[in-house]
Amino acid sequence: MILKFKFLVRVIERDFRIRYQVFQATQNMDLLTESFLSQIFKGPSRKILLTQLLHLTELSEFYKEDQEICSIEKIKYLKFMSARAGSMGLTNFCSSIQSLILMLMDFDLEYRKKLESSPKKFRQNKQWFFIWDLIIEIVGCETSLLASLLQVMDEPHDKLKIIFNYFIENAPQPVVKEMREKPGSLTVQDFLNCFVRLKDVKSTYKRIETDVLQLLLANSFKVFLMQRVYSKHCTAEIEIDAGLLGVCRSLVTAFENLQTVSSDFELHSAGREALISAETICAYVDLAKR
């Protein structure tokens, strides 16, 4: 089944990428709506297919061995699947899922652009709807899928897009007002600014569980560090400047505020790792100033 899935994704991707390349030159949306990807994920069954796809990310998460959110029953199941699929070239399984999700996101982006330019025509087409909205809805109902989805996405930009959009859709509107005003230029600091004021954290806590907030904070900080390490201005070490220091201090404040508003707050491993890293950087800077 794994090999069949990978083969199917390759066929879909080849068809979509060729069409997408021509679409960028012609802006003919029919090229995308007639693709295999669109035909598979349109209609009333698209939510079921998306849910199953996101559940596959839980399997891929097991192979990365970087999470502790799985129950004993789930681990047993994933080990069973590992034994069955281990000889079938499962090393590229994560990349197949990621490719499929990225294609859906690309289609969704172009569809939204066309909707803005010709709303009447595209509002009459009820076959597609917004894939991204469905993904947010699904992971909102099953928060364990959010961790798996973030785990399987390798590109920092894509991971931040998931974090930002999930937070914007689920957090109170007054809290994310500034984030909504600049969707194309959001930064990790913009996201962390939503946790600086205790009042905002209290209202957010009523809408989003602390476990999910920890996941979003920890992953956004991890992506921020990755971007700095692999940027042109950095080599093997991270240069500590005002931008990095500001993010670290904001992260520490965010966790302090979460602990204040939540009576049963428990720091998880991902949050603990991010918090220790941020506190260490802050302490190093403060020590250097003495």
Side-chain angles (χ1 to χ4, degrees), residues 1-10 13 52-64 77-78 81-82 85-86 88-101 148 151-154:
M1 289 299 294
I2 300 295
L3 286 179
K4 290 181 180 179
F5 174 77
K6 290 166 60 179
F7 175 76
L8 177 62
V9 172
R10 284 200 298 267
E13 184 174 18
Q52 295 301 317
L53 175 62
L54 293 176
H55 274 291
L56 283 177
T57 63
E58 294 182 305
L59 177 60
S60 63
E61 173 193 335
F62 172 75
Y63 292 96
K64 292 202 171 185
Y77 168 72
L78 294 178
M81 291 296 293
S82 174
M88 291 189 268
L90 197 60
T91 54
N92 295 325
F93 182 58
C94 294
S95 61
S96 296
I97 297 176
Q98 179 177 331
S99 297
L100 194 53
I101 293 174
S148 304
Q151 183 70 6
V152 79
M153 304 303 287
D154 291 329

Side-chain angles (χ1 to χ4, degrees), residues 126-138:
K126 302 295 184 181
Q127 292 183 322
W128 180 259
F129 287 93
F130 292 146
I131 286 294
W132 179 250
D133 293 341
L134 284 176
I135 291 177
I136 294 299
E137 179 184 341
I138 293 168

Side-chain angles (χ1 to χ4, degrees), residues 9-262:
V9 172
R10 284 200 298 267
V11 172
I12 294 172
E13 184 174 18
R14 177 173 296 182
D15 172 72
F16 181 78
R17 293 305 175 192
I18 293 175
R19 290 173 176 273
Y20 189 66
Q21 186 176 3
V22 179
F23 164 78
Q24 290 179 317
T26 63
Q27 293 298 303
N28 183 0
M29 195 66 191
D30 291 340
L31 290 168
L32 299 185
T33 56
E34 294 172 0
S35 65
F36 292 152
L37 181 75
S38 175
Q39 298 303 310
I40 291 173
F41 283 94
K42 75 177 183 181
S45 63
R46 61 188 175 278
K47 186 174 182 180
I48 298 175
L49 289 173
L50 275 174
T51 303
Q52 295 301 317
L53 175 62
L54 293 176
H55 274 291
L56 283 177
T57 63
E58 294 182 305
L59 177 60
S60 63
E61 173 193 335
F62 172 75
Y63 292 96
K64 292 202 171 185
E65 299 178 350
D66 192 31
Q67 295 286 336
E68 59 174 22
I69 64 169
C70 295
S71 63
I72 294 176
E73 291 76 13
K74 185 179 291 185
I75 290 175
K76 288 181 179 178
Y77 168 72
L78 294 178
K79 284 185 176 180
F80 170 73
M81 291 296 293
S82 174
R84 294 192 61 183
S87 61
M88 291 189 268
L90 197 60
T91 54
N92 295 325
F93 182 58
C94 294
S95 61
S96 296
I97 297 176
Q98 179 177 331
S99 297
L100 194 53
I101 293 174
L102 290 177
M103 283 187 287
L104 288 169
M105 293 170 70
D106 286 340
F107 189 108
D108 187 71
L109 176 63
E110 299 300 340
Y111 190 88
R112 288 174 185 270
K113 289 180 180 178
K114 285 296 181 181
L115 178 61
E116 293 175 358
S117 61
S118 53
K120 291 184 178 180
K121 175 183 177 181
F122 283 88
R123 281 173 185 166
Q124 293 173 354
N125 183 1
K126 302 295 184 181
Q127 292 183 322
W128 180 259
F129 287 93
F130 292 146
I131 286 294
W132 179 250
D133 293 341
L134 284 176
I135 291 177
I136 294 299
E137 179 184 341
I138 293 168
V139 298
C141 297
E142 300 183 58
T143 53
S144 63
L145 293 179
L146 177 61
S148 304
L149 180 59
L150 289 173
Q151 183 70 6
V152 79
M153 304 303 287
D154 291 329
E155 289 296 326
H157 176 269
D158 298 323
K159 189 170 292 193
L160 284 181
K161 183 178 180 180
I162 294 171
I163 293 171
F164 294 161
N165 280 276
Y166 179 90
F167 187 73
I168 289 174
E169 291 298 325
N170 291 279
Q173 296 306 307
V175 176
V176 296
K177 181 180 178 181
E178 293 185 4
M179 291 186 68
R180 284 185 175 277
E181 291 175 351
K182 50 176 181 179
S185 58
L186 287 173
T187 65
V188 173
Q189 184 63 67
D190 295 327
F191 170 63
L192 293 177
N193 287 341
C194 298
F195 296 86
V196 172
R197 294 185 298 181
L198 189 60
K199 178 182 177 181
D200 291 341
V201 177
K202 285 182 179 180
S203 59
T204 302
Y205 170 67
K206 296 177 182 179
R207 299 281 299 273
I208 307 176
E209 297 177 357
T210 53
D211 292 350
V212 178
L213 291 174
Q214 283 193 61
L215 180 69
L216 299 176
L217 288 168
N219 275 274
S220 64
F221 183 69
K222 182 178 180 180
V223 171
F224 177 77
L225 295 181
M226 288 173 56
Q227 288 177 325
R228 293 182 66 89
V229 169
Y230 295 110
S231 67
K232 297 179 180 179
H233 305 291
C234 300
T235 55
E237 298 182 356
I238 299 177
E239 179 184 351
I240 300 178
D241 55 17
L244 174 59
L245 186 59
V247 166
C248 290
R249 287 176 173 166
S250 296
L251 184 74
V252 173
T253 301
F255 275 98
E256 290 175 347
N257 288 339
L258 276 179
Q259 189 172 10
T260 300
V261 302
S262 176

